[in-house]
């Protein structure tokens, strides 16, 4: 396949907080462009993380390929440049799946659990992808009430999320990183198959250095932006280096 031809005649489908998605000449292929824009708190906080687009594209590419090798179906095809990823066209299921291995963020605020409390077995949560409603946390029954997915799809998404967590946790451990929690999105291809979509990066994962006990210095993810901790670009670069095996 000559991937170069998909660089022409692109039509923008939509622009999200972190990416712009384009149509290509192939209706089954989309082009995802990774931006440097950063948002937090449902886009109430906005900024720029220099180089984030290239870093997140490279990390996502590597992790999608790793998961594909482990039998997880994803929308990933290949990368045309350091910011442009070709992906299979899917209809996104409007559910954000959050998998938690340790307590952090909203879980601590809503439950009183201490930051870093280990969660075994991992906790799987669902949020409705709806900015106007603030992406609310929903129960399985509410997801079914809203017809966001079928019972069979929810079962498949939950199991895929746990399988992904198993593989990612082991991979990040080899990189000297603790996978605290992360967000996943899934989509349906034109055959109705469920595929892992979106991205896997410091934007969507909480990542802590294994060998660092200081609660701020250990953070290698977008919490540095959310909490105004500084050194955001450096943290993202460290994750990229560890993921690509340049440092351990």
């Amino acid at each position: 396949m000559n991937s170069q031809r998909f660089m022409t005649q692109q039509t923008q489908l939509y622009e999200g907080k972190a990416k712009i998605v384009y149509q290509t000449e192939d209706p089954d292929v989309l082009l995802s462009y990774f931006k440097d824009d950063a948002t937090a708190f449902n886009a109430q906080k906005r900024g720029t993380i220099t180089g984030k687009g290239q870093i997140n594209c490279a990390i996502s590419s590597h992790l999608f390929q790793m998961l594909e090798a482990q039998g997880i179906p994803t929308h990933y095809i290949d990368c045309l440049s350091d910011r442009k990823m070709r992906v299979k066209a899917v209809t996104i299921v409007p559910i954000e799946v959050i998998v938690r291995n340790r307590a952090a963020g909203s879980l601590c605020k809503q439950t009183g659990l201490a930051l870093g409390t280990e969660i075994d077995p991992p906790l799987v949560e669902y949020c409705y992808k709806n900015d106007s409603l603030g992406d609310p946390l929903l129960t399985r029954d509410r997801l079914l009430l809203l017809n966001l997915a079928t019972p069979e799809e929810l079962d498949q998404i939950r199991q895929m999320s746990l399988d992904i967590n198993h593989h990612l946790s082991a991979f990040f451990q080899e990189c000297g990183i603790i996978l605290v929690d992360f967000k996943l999105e899934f989509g349906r291809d034109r055959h109705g198959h469920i595929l892992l979509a979106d991205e896997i990066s410091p934007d969507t994962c909480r990542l802590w250095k294994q060998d660092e006990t200081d609660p701020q210095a250990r953070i290698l993810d977008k919490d540095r932006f959310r909490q105004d901790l500084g050194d955001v670009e450096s943290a993202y670069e460290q994750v990229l280096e560890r993921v690509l095996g340049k440092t351990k």
Side-chain angles (χ1 to χ4, degrees), residues 56-187:
N56 284 357
C57 186
I59 292 173
S60 295
S61 172
H62 191 88
L63 295 179
F64 278 139
Q65 292 179 75
M66 182 273 290
L67 290 171
E68 286 273 5
Q70 297 295 333
I72 304 294
T74 81
H75 72 163
Y76 176 80
I77 298 175
D78 58 20
C79 289
L80 295 182
S81 72
D82 59 3
R83 287 180 181 266
K84 295 179 179 179
M85 179 184 293
R86 286 199 313 152
V87 297
K88 300 168 189 172
V90 297
T91 301
I92 294 294
V93 179
I95 299 170
E96 291 183 352
V97 182
I98 303 168
V99 183
R100 299 183 184 272
N101 298 306
R102 296 198 181 198
S106 60
L107 182 63
C108 293
K109 294 178 182 177
Q110 294 167 358
T111 65
L113 283 170
L115 178 67
T117 300
E118 292 191 25
I119 302 170
D120 188 17
L123 178 65
V124 180
E125 298 180 325
Y126 308 98
C127 290
Y128 184 16
K129 273 182 60 65
N130 187 309
D131 287 341
S132 64
L133 296 177
D135 299 334
L137 186 68
L138 294 185
T139 63
R140 176 185 172 90
D141 286 347
R142 288 192 178 190
L143 296 174
L144 295 173
L145 174 67
L146 294 173
N147 294 316
L148 301 182
T150 67
E152 294 77 17
E153 286 177 332
L154 286 180
D155 289 342
Q156 183 181 0
I157 286 171
R158 175 182 172 81
Q159 187 58 56
M160 285 178 66
S161 298
L162 289 171
D163 291 343
I164 291 165
N165 181 53
H166 172 75
H167 297 306
L168 286 181
S169 294
F171 176 84
F172 277 118
Q173 184 176 20
E174 294 177 356
C175 298
I177 294 175
I178 297 169
L179 179 59
V180 177
D181 61 33
F182 60 101
K183 173 184 73 71
L184 296 173
E185 294 186 20
F186 295 87

Side-chain angles (χ1 to χ4, degrees), residues 16-50:
K17 298 170 186 174
K19 292 182 290 298
I20 305 173
V21 177
Y22 298 91
Q23 289 179 322
T24 71
E25 295 172 351
D26 186 335
D28 291 328
V29 176
L30 301 178
L31 186 66
S32 187
Y33 175 87
F34 287 68
K35 305 190 296 182
D36 286 350
D37 296 356
T39 63
F41 313 117
N42 199 21
Q44 294 179 29
K45 180 177 182 178
R46 295 177 179 272
T48 300
I49 301 173
T50 304

Side-chain angles (χ1 to χ4, degrees), residues 193-210:
H193 299 143
I194 296 292
L195 306 179
L196 175 64
D198 194 38
E199 66 180 277
I200 306 173
S201 72
D203 269 14
T204 62
C205 303
R206 277 195 174 91
L207 305 168
W208 292 352
K209 293 180 186 178
Q210 283 181 356

